């Protein structure tokens, strides 16, 4: 019975550890990513088409950020950074 209890305890510790590491790999808060995007945008020299695309992606990202969908917001912000070559 003690071996069974130890096995259960070890399993619980293993699951708790994997949950912790999954939380650590979560996306960055979209507000922080937006700050980075805006700083890069201020320093970038963009043509009209690229500037329009960046603003469109930024707007979509802000919409998702306001909806507490950090992962999708960060995806839009990353696409905008890619358009700027960052």
């Amino acid at each position: 019975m003690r071996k069974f209890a130890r096995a259960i305890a070890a399993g619980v510790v293993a699951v708790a550890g994997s949950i912790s590491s999954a939380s650590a790999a979560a996306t960055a808060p979209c507000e922080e990513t937006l700050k980075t995007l805006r700083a890069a945008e201020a320093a970038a020299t963009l043509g009209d088409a690229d500037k329009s695309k960046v603003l469109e992606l930024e707007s979509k990202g802000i919409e998702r950020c306001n909806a507490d969908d950090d992962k999708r917001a960060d995806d839009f912000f990353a696409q905008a950074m890619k358009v700027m070559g960052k």
Side-chain angles (χ1 to χ4, degrees):
M1 187 66 158
R2 284 187 180 189
K3 286 184 181 181
F4 181 72
R6 286 183 186 158
I8 295 294
V12 168
V13 169
V15 169
S18 65
I19 291 171
S20 301
S21 64
S23 297
T27 59
C30 58
E31 295 84 3
E32 295 300 317
T33 309
L34 178 59
K35 286 179 189 176
T36 304
L37 172 66
R38 287 187 172 159
E41 194 175 345
T45 306
L46 301 172
D48 290 339
D50 286 341
K51 187 172 188 172
S52 175
K53 185 65 177 172
V54 167
L55 290 175
E56 177 187 343
L57 290 166
E58 182 179 350
S59 294
K60 288 179 180 181
I62 291 170
E63 180 183 322
R64 295 311 326 148
C65 189
N66 289 337
D68 290 331
D69 186 359
D70 285 9
K71 181 182 178 343
R72 290 194 57 211
D74 287 347
D75 289 343
F76 283 121
F77 297 150
Q79 289 174 37
M81 294 290 276
K82 189 178 269 186
V83 169
M84 291 187 289
K86 306 285 181 192

